[in-house]
Amino acid sequence: MKKLAIIGANEAILSLINKAKELGYETHVFSWQCGDPGEEAADYFYPISIDKKDEILEKCREIGICGICSITSDFASPTVSYVARGLGLPANPERTDLVARNKFEMRKAFLEYGGIYTPKFTEADLSFDLADVADFRFPVIVKPTDRWSSKGITRVDRAEDLKNAVSVAVNESFNNKAIIEEYMEGTEYSAECIVYRGDAKVLAFTKKTTTGNPHYIETGHEQPSDIPKDKQKEIIEIVKRALKALDITNGAAHAEFRVLADGNIGFMEIGARMGGDCIGTDLTPISTGMDFVRMVIDVACGNKPCFDVITKPCPVAIRFIISEDDIAEFNNIEPDRIIKRSEFDTSFDSEVKDSSTRHGYYIIKTDA
């Protein structure tokens, strides 16, 4: 039987495990043991933390895997590529492990590649001095260089508030660094992509809504987006250039960007993985009719992804529970429009500080 290694065991990984089994793969799942659902769903589970790359590599060599993958985790991506490179399987190059996970290095890569709009930016730590941004135009965005899920993000409108925002971002960062960049005003979107041997295809565009200033926590996503078809063609070419700038050559990719008032496309960040928040696992397959999860498995195993439309495309959205008003909105939705929902935390005892602390979600059919 074909053996597939999977990095991570959280709820999103269930889509990957179940699809692999459906395709006839024996699943070998690696993750720190904490009771995640993938631990039980896997054919074989190994309680090895995903940062133990060499240990996972040796185990995969012993098992004799034909591919290794994950789907929505930025932390898993470097391990996936490291093990795949060690076994001669399809992988992103070592450079991608850095530039696709560090926002400062990513900005530098965009700037050096050319033709990709980049706002003014700089790196900062706790020794940051206001003189470092003397020529910046406010507002600016401050965020950790190496965290995701809206952690540590602050919009700063006044120079006198900048040091505190840098401190917040640095304290959230694994490498104790923050990036400061001029704020890009415009509607926020993402592009959901699959890349096979350097050939990238954009499967869908997602329109995003957030809590706005100051922390921009995502409150919902919808597909298809409202980007006009002619603009989509332009953006697809820019996305492909941006992926090349980061050397993303194999697997899923999630590109977050804004369409600016002057028509420019301003990239915020690109992950060498599926979009989280159910964007890759649920929204993209539902809205396109294509099997995105299978594409990830196919590429990991060296097979060309299939873009057949296997289910009828349906406009779709996900909404997140931030406040009691969101519960009231959910209760007014016709039941036949609800595709999927999580359990809701209706106590609202904790403040929503980032995407990981939201109180639940639901996915619904929409009117495109």
Side-chain angles (χ1 to χ4, degrees):
M1 178 178 283
K2 300 174 293 184
K3 300 175 181 180
L4 182 72
I6 294 172
I7 304 299
N10 62 16
E11 182 183 356
I13 290 291
L14 284 178
S15 299
L16 186 55
I17 294 172
N18 292 336
K19 178 58 63 175
K21 288 183 175 182
E22 177 187 318
L23 296 171
Y25 290 91
E26 184 178 86
T27 56
H28 294 258
V29 174
F30 296 81
S31 179
W32 176 62
Q33 191 165 23
C34 61
D36 277 343
E39 298 175 17
E40 185 174 345
D43 292 308
Y44 296 91
F45 175 71
Y46 307 89
I48 304 173
S49 178
I50 65 176
D51 62 345
K52 305 294 185 184
K53 296 187 288 186
D54 287 307
E55 191 174 343
I56 294 174
L57 171 59
E58 290 310 309
K59 192 65 181 178
C60 286
R61 183 175 284 120
E62 175 189 321
I63 294 165
I65 63 169
C66 63
I68 179 169
C69 54
S70 191
I71 43 178
T72 63
S73 170
D74 289 294
F75 303 107
S77 295
T79 298
V80 168
S81 289
Y82 181 85
V83 173
R85 289 193 298 265
L87 297 176
L89 298 170
N92 291 317
E94 188 173 355
R95 175 177 177 268
T96 306
D97 297 346
L98 172 63
V99 296
R101 285 205 60 222
N102 184 296
K103 295 177 174 64
F104 179 67
E105 296 297 331
M106 186 182 297
R107 282 269 173 254
K108 285 167 56 180
F110 289 157
L111 190 64
E112 292 164 3
Y113 194 80
I116 300 172
Y117 176 85
T118 304
K120 194 173 292 182
F121 66 97
T122 190
E123 192 175 50
D125 56 25
L126 292 180
S127 64
F128 161 77
D129 191 290
L130 285 174
D132 297 338
V133 293
D135 60 343
F136 275 51
R137 174 180 52 82
F138 281 77
V140 298
I141 291 288
V142 182
K143 47 192 172 183
T145 57
D146 55 359
R147 291 301 296 266
W148 309 84
S149 301
S150 304
K151 292 182 183 292
I153 295 179
T154 308
R155 170 174 155 163
V156 179
D157 296 302
R158 307 180 307 164
E160 52 263 44
D161 297 328
L162 198 49
K163 282 199 171 185
N164 182 64
V166 169
S167 177
V168 169
V170 167
N171 287 330
E172 282 283 358
S173 170
F174 291 114
N175 66 0
N176 299 314
K177 298 285 186 180
I179 183 172
I180 304 169
E181 57 188 36
E182 291 185 345
Y183 178 68
M184 296 183 291
E185 184 71 56
T187 306
E188 187 173 344
Y189 300 93
S190 65
E192 321 314 327
C193 316
I194 191 74
V195 191
Y196 175 67
R197 296 182 178 178
D199 184 18
K201 181 176 177 63
V202 175
L203 304 177
F205 288 107
T206 309
K207 185 176 182 180
K208 299 174 176 288
T209 55
T210 74
T211 56
N213 188 21
H215 301 303
Y216 298 91
I217 301 166
E218 292 170 343
T219 59
H221 312 288
E222 61 184 67
Q223 292 182 8
S225 74
D226 57 1
I227 302 174
K229 292 294 184 183
D230 58 341
K231 192 66 176 178
Q232 288 185 25
K233 293 179 181 178
E234 174 192 346
I235 294 170
I236 287 170
E237 293 310 309
I238 300 172
V239 168
K240 289 181 178 181
R241 293 208 307 269
L243 294 172
K244 287 183 182 295
L246 303 183
D247 283 335
I248 297 176
T249 56
N250 285 285
H254 173 72
E256 298 184 349
F257 62 91
R258 290 181 184 271
V259 177
L260 310 183
D262 61 3
N264 271 318
I265 305 303
F267 280 96
M268 293 179 291
E269 51 209 41
I270 297 180
R273 46 134 180 116
M274 273 187 178
D277 280 356
C278 299
I279 293 173
T281 54
D282 295 88
L283 269 61
T284 301
I286 293 169
S287 78
T288 67
M290 293 184 282
D291 195 336
F292 195 9
V293 177
R294 176 172 182 165
M295 291 179 197
V296 171
I297 296 172
D298 283 342
V299 171
C301 296
N303 303 318
K304 187 175 182 179
C306 175
F307 300 109
D308 290 349
V309 176
I310 57 175
T311 59
K312 184 178 179 180
C314 173
V316 65
I318 185 169
R319 303 282 184 252
F320 295 96
I321 305 299
I322 307 291
S323 68
E324 293 184 29
D325 289 342
D326 298 320
I327 297 289
E329 182 177 333
F330 171 78
N331 289 334
N332 286 327
I333 295 172
E334 298 90 340
D336 61 354
R337 291 180 56 205
I338 300 170
I339 297 172
K340 181 180 178 180
R341 58 160 291 183
S342 70
E343 293 297 320
F344 298 162
D345 173 11
T346 56
S347 66
F348 297 101
D349 290 338
S350 59
E351 178 187 357
V352 176
K353 298 179 179 179
D354 53 52
S355 296
S356 67
T357 57
R358 294 169 301 194
H359 299 292
Y361 70 85
Y362 58 93
I363 298 174
I364 55 171
K365 301 175 186 176
T366 61
D367 300 320

